[in-house]
Amino acid sequence: MKHPTWPRTSSSPFSSLPFSNRSEFFTTRLCARPPLPSPPGAGDFSALPYDVLAKIAASFDDPNLRAASLVCRAWCEALRPLREAMALLLWGKRFKHGHRGVGPNPDRALDSFIKAAARGSALAMVDAGLIYWERGEKPKAMEFYHKAAELGNPSAQCNLGLSYLQAEPPNTELAVKWLHKASVCGNVRAQYQLALCLHRGGGRVRSNLKEAAKWYMKAAEGGYVRAMYNISLCFSFGEGLTRNHQLARKWMKRAADRGHSKAQFEHGLALFSEGDMMKAVVYLELATRAGEKGAAHVKNAVLHRLSSASRDHAMHLANSWRALPSS
């Protein structure tokens, strides 16, 4: 698999929320059974304004939404629209992906997402935005992303930031604003894209290698493979960080073991320079299979130095290799 290296953005930056694994899709209201009695001192909860509560709960998943609805009667009533939105959201995902006897139907999925979004679900706003983006209706997609981003949804903030990067002309300043909001919430894709923006600069955003390295590291520690590769380069070249060969090798290997083709090539070259021919061939073969053309030439040169048995063993290792999980 080819991976864009720094500082280039991914051609397909968006990802949908995972489809729910729940076996049942509830359309009944939680208030069908009486809420739990309010404990002493619960008046502080019930006094929370409905609009504030709805904004806080806009990105709640189903279990959290159900739990919040049982806090007190006031919350149960205030969260009624979001519970209805959750049922619509789950049906929308069934129509989008096809599940439990329902065939894929993007139009019905979008209709369900829009109805759920109208009831305040930030999760549905993101999914509606994704469908509009895939259809090429980018202004509508950004409208939904913006609504969800204002409600504090990190996925929407990330997608909105990426949308500004792909606008004509790109608006790097607004992109960085929203990517930063998502990054501080722990969204690793946003952290990586923010690092790219800070690395290269552009528009009113100045290049800041130290900050870029900081966000590469956070994304790498969060399991984002492309960030692992880039933080390795930061350590190698001393960009934003003090040069450290050992840490550069550590992160390069982590990226290589998780399927980053350029990292596999680089790590294979490093093993070759250290004289570890067997391991070098394995990583160079993996890089070659992933489309790194330069790796094939080096691999063939190394293979000539190995015995027939060693070559066969190296190919066996490459054939049985499986990428480690990202996190």
Side-chain angles (χ1 to χ4, degrees):
M1 180 182 296
K2 299 289 284 185
H3 294 280
T5 184
W6 66 356
R8 294 174 55 194
T9 56
S10 171
S11 59
S12 300
F14 302 125
S15 64
S16 179
L17 296 172
F19 186 80
S20 172
N21 291 324
R22 294 182 61 84
S23 59
E24 298 293 338
F25 294 85
F26 296 91
T27 58
T28 58
R29 296 173 178 172
L30 284 177
C31 285
R33 63 168 176 160
L36 297 177
S38 298
D44 292 339
F45 292 111
S46 61
L48 191 66
Y50 277 21
D51 60 334
V52 175
L53 178 58
K55 182 175 182 179
I56 293 172
S59 294
F60 279 9
D61 58 14
D62 192 34
N64 285 328
L65 185 59
R66 290 174 172 273
S69 296
L70 296 175
V71 170
C72 62
R73 290 185 182 276
W75 281 31
C76 184
E77 183 62 29
L79 296 176
R80 185 189 305 275
L82 283 175
R83 292 196 303 277
E84 295 172 354
M86 182 58 67
L88 288 165
L89 175 66
L90 295 178
W91 274 103
K93 289 186 178 295
R94 288 181 69 175
F95 287 125
K96 181 176 181 179
H97 302 288
H99 185 67
R100 294 177 63 85
V102 176
N105 190 323
D107 291 331
R108 295 190 68 180
L110 179 59
D111 181 64
S112 293
F113 292 147
I114 291 174
K115 289 178 179 177
R119 288 165 172 79
S121 171
L123 305 181
M125 295 172 194
V126 173
D127 277 316
L130 288 168
I131 291 182
Y132 276 125
W133 189 273
E134 290 166 359
R135 291 181 172 184
E137 299 180 60
K138 295 184 178 181
K140 288 185 178 179
M142 292 179 69
E143 180 182 345
F144 277 101
Y145 290 151
H146 194 274
K147 288 179 180 179
E150 291 286 1
L151 290 171
N153 184 278
S155 295
Q157 292 167 343
C158 178
N159 285 6
L160 183 58
L162 293 170
S163 299
Y164 280 120
L165 286 178
Q166 296 190 19
E168 293 294 341
N171 190 326
T172 310
E173 188 175 15
L174 281 177
V176 166
K177 169 190 170 181
W178 289 108
L179 290 172
H180 186 270
K181 286 179 180 289
S183 295
V184 297
C185 292
N187 187 296
V188 293
R189 173 168 287 182
Q191 291 169 347
Y192 172 73
Q193 295 292 342
L194 176 60
L196 287 174
C197 289
L198 295 172
H199 189 163
R200 68 184 174 214
R204 296 183 180 181
V205 177
R206 293 183 179 180
S207 177
N208 187 328
L209 297 182
K210 186 175 181 180
E211 277 293 298
K214 165 189 163 183
W215 290 111
Y216 281 140
M217 179 61 78
K218 287 185 179 293
E221 291 174 341
Y224 204 78
V225 178
R226 294 173 185 173
M228 295 177 190
Y229 177 74
N230 281 15
I231 199 64
S232 173
L233 297 179
C234 288
F235 279 120
S236 292
F237 299 117
E239 294 202 359
L241 295 168
T242 303
R243 285 190 177 184
N244 188 313
H245 177 70
Q246 184 177 1
L247 288 176
R249 287 293 305 277
K250 166 190 168 181
W251 285 109
M252 190 65 73
K253 184 179 186 303
R254 286 191 177 185
D257 288 340
R258 286 157 180 80
H260 195 291
S261 61
K262 291 184 181 298
Q264 290 168 341
F265 187 12
E266 295 281 351
H267 188 57
L269 289 174
L271 291 169
F272 172 63
S273 67
E274 294 172 353
D276 194 339
M277 302 298 179
M278 180 69 71
K279 289 183 179 179
V281 167
V282 173
Y283 281 99
L284 291 169
E285 173 65 16
L286 294 173
T288 300
R289 294 179 183 182
E292 296 295 331
K293 297 181 180 179
H297 176 75
V298 181
K299 180 201 68 176
N300 292 332
V302 178
L303 283 173
H304 288 303
R305 303 188 182 189
L306 299 178
S307 66
S308 176
S310 294
R311 289 196 295 269
D312 291 342
H313 183 58
M315 290 302 104
H316 171 73
L317 292 175
N319 290 334
S320 59
W321 179 86
R322 295 294 182 273
L324 293 177
S326 297
S327 57

